[in-house]
Amino acid sequence: MKYRSTRGQVSGQSFESVVLEGLAADGGLFIPEQLPTLPADWQTAWAELSFPELATELIAQFVGTDLSHTEVSQLVQKSYATFDTPEVTPMVQLDARTHVLELFHGPTFAFKDVALQFLGNLFEFFLERRNAQSGGHRLTVVGATSGDTGSAAIYGLRGKKNVEVFILHPRGRVSAVQEAQMTTVLDENVHNVSIEGTFDDCQDIVKELFSRSEFRREHSLGAVNSINWARILAQISYYFCAFFALRRSHGADALPAFVVPSGNFGDILAGFYAQSLGLPVAKLVIATNANDILDRFLRTGTYEKDASVAATPSPAMDILVSSNFERFLWYLARDHEVPSSVVDPEERAARACEILAQWMDRLKTAGSFSVSPAALDAARQVFWSGRCGDAETYSTIAAHYSHEPSYLLDPHTAVGVHVAETLRPEIQALGAHVHSVCLSTAHPAKFSDAVLRAVNDAGHQLDFDSILPAPFVGLLEKPRRCFESENSADAVAQHIVDVAQSK
């Protein structure tokens, strides 16, 4: 199993190298050179596996010779032992054909724990193995967060040997609980950095630091955002898990239509890879908030940045540019933009890299690019999309809280549920055997202000203490450590240098 960059200048990379490097040297994202073929009997052989067992089988398809099956299993078991339920990602039924896949049972109560607990253990394993062969290997992990990635990365990497982690977050643009989850972790290898700006500013700084080849080599930079392929790989597992859970509860012909709250596109990209591996999926549905670049692309065929980020009740989705969309665009270019007269697979891949690089350049210089009608039609065959405004977010939370049985949604999950309900006629038209599975990305206690506003404004009462997870009790009063930086890559780079020199 080898990996290439979407931009075409890097190929033939091992799983270990793409995990530790994160972002390709040419600025592209790593993708498998070829997708593996699952065992012919996977639908029966894997049907009764536990989540860790299923994750082991899937991840093992992508690691080549870098990890043995036993090593994958040990890493997976260690990663998901931190979750509060043996199911890891249980599914809850809202109505006859609508379900919520709860992805928030990890240490930070967000879906990103599924990937980042595993990624943290991968980092530590590969570094320890390298140091056993020749000492001196360390990793400086630099990441940007709109809220949940930061705490999940910190909890996945705190105390890890040979790893320093720097997490950038936009000052005042994450929830109080999210900020406290990050900044109250005082482990010596954890460094929080607040930036005066938006998540996109933080993400741009991270990409700029990775583009500085000398700085990158000197500090052994590693990526923890979903630009890291291992993040996407780990998330594929819960799509298969939900598929099997749905069939166990609703019969052998039950088929999921996954509805995914989408910001940086990593979560639903894992669904695209699951479908590409052969998972039967009725439809993948992108649910956006007011920052709707993905929804607009599927309506128009033009990928265009807005002038500014809208602040919404679902802040983890307040993103102008969805970084992971580049991976899907590469496949779109290869299959629908490269002329059909080009038949050699490697030549088609090379042409796709060229087209993708041109698109990314246009996005950077002009703020937008457009795909061909054929490519847009192909994207619509894979994805549907819908948009949810702030008022709809609040009303969806209130409606499901007051419904019998009551279910409390966080604002990001509410975006997905609203879009699922809006598209209910279209989803039901796919067949009586199709069920909406809405991915629930965070525990509602992480967004207390939005949840309480939704419930109280609708005239209902909520005893918030009754839903508060034990780790959240007293969290806001704990001591904190955070470095306040100006909005510049130079300032953040200097902070990393200062920390390294102080060690």
Side-chain angles (χ1 to χ4, degrees), residues 301-368:
T302 297
Y303 192 70
E304 183 175 19
K305 288 193 295 186
D306 275 335
S308 61
V309 178
T312 76
S314 47
M317 298 159 61
D318 292 349
I319 294 171
L320 282 180
V321 176
S322 303
S323 291
N324 264 295
F325 198 49
E326 178 170 333
R327 285 184 165 114
F328 174 70
L329 286 168
W330 186 91
Y331 294 100
L332 208 60
R334 183 195 65 179
D335 297 339
H336 303 284
E337 298 282 4
V338 176
S340 58
S341 58
V342 179
V343 295
D344 177 69
E346 284 304 310
E347 178 62 21
R348 292 191 68 84
R351 294 279 195 95
C353 292
E354 293 172 2
I355 294 168
L356 192 283
Q358 291 169 4
W359 284 342
M360 293 298 102
D361 185 61
R362 286 182 207 147
L363 182 65
K364 184 176 181 179
T365 58
S368 69

Side-chain angles (χ1 to χ4, degrees), residues 333-459:
R334 183 195 65 179
D335 297 339
H336 303 284
E337 298 282 4
V338 176
S340 58
S341 58
V342 179
V343 295
D344 177 69
E346 284 304 310
E347 178 62 21
R348 292 191 68 84
R351 294 279 195 95
C353 292
E354 293 172 2
I355 294 168
L356 192 283
Q358 291 169 4
W359 284 342
M360 293 298 102
D361 185 61
R362 286 182 207 147
L363 182 65
K364 184 176 181 179
T365 58
S368 69
F369 65 86
S370 298
V371 302
S372 68
L376 177 58
D377 287 345
R380 288 170 172 168
Q381 291 299 310
V382 179
F383 298 111
W384 287 348
S385 69
R387 182 184 185 277
C388 178
D390 292 0
E392 291 85 1
T393 301
Y394 291 124
S395 64
T396 301
I397 294 171
H400 282 273
Y401 178 70
S402 63
H403 192 266
E404 189 61 40
S406 177
Y407 190 86
L408 189 60
L409 302 164
D410 93 282
H412 305 79
T413 308
V415 169
V417 170
H418 170 78
V419 170
E421 292 172 345
T422 301
L423 295 178
R424 188 188 300 271
E426 290 87 347
I427 293 172
Q428 290 186 345
L430 295 172
H433 61 301
V434 175
H435 294 244
S436 295
V437 178
C438 303
L439 273 58
S440 182
T441 57
H443 192 288
K446 297 194 76 166
F447 302 94
S448 55
D449 290 346
V451 170
L452 286 170
R453 173 178 170 177
V455 172
N456 293 338
D457 285 359

Side-chain angles (χ1 to χ4, degrees), residues 22-141:
L23 187 69
D26 61 0
L29 306 184
F30 287 115
I31 57 175
E33 291 189 354
Q34 288 186 319
L35 290 179
T37 301
L38 299 185
D41 64 344
W42 71 266
Q43 288 200 42
T44 53
W46 296 355
E48 300 301 326
L49 296 182
S50 67
F51 185 95
E53 290 169 337
L54 183 56
T56 296
E57 295 304 322
L58 284 163
I59 291 169
Q61 307 293 319
F62 288 87
V63 301
T65 59
D66 289 354
L67 293 168
S68 68
H69 191 277
T70 298
E71 288 169 335
V72 174
S73 178
Q74 291 170 343
L75 287 165
V76 166
Q77 294 288 346
K78 180 180 180 181
S79 300
Y80 301 125
T82 62
F83 282 60
D84 65 13
T85 172
E87 296 174 89
V88 181
T89 58
M91 193 156 67
V92 176
Q93 189 162 348
L94 294 185
D95 60 41
R97 289 171 61 184
T98 306
H99 311 257
V100 168
L101 184 64
E102 293 185 343
L103 304 178
F104 53 73
H105 289 274
T108 71
F109 301 90
F111 82 97
K112 298 181 180 183
D113 288 322
V114 177
L116 284 164
Q117 285 292 300
F118 177 66
L119 181 58
N121 289 323
L122 266 183
F123 281 153
E124 186 174 52
F125 178 87
F126 285 143
L127 288 170
E128 286 188 343
R129 186 167 70 182
R130 289 187 174 192
N131 282 323
Q133 297 166 351
S134 61
H137 294 281
R138 296 186 60 81
L139 194 66
T140 303
V141 173

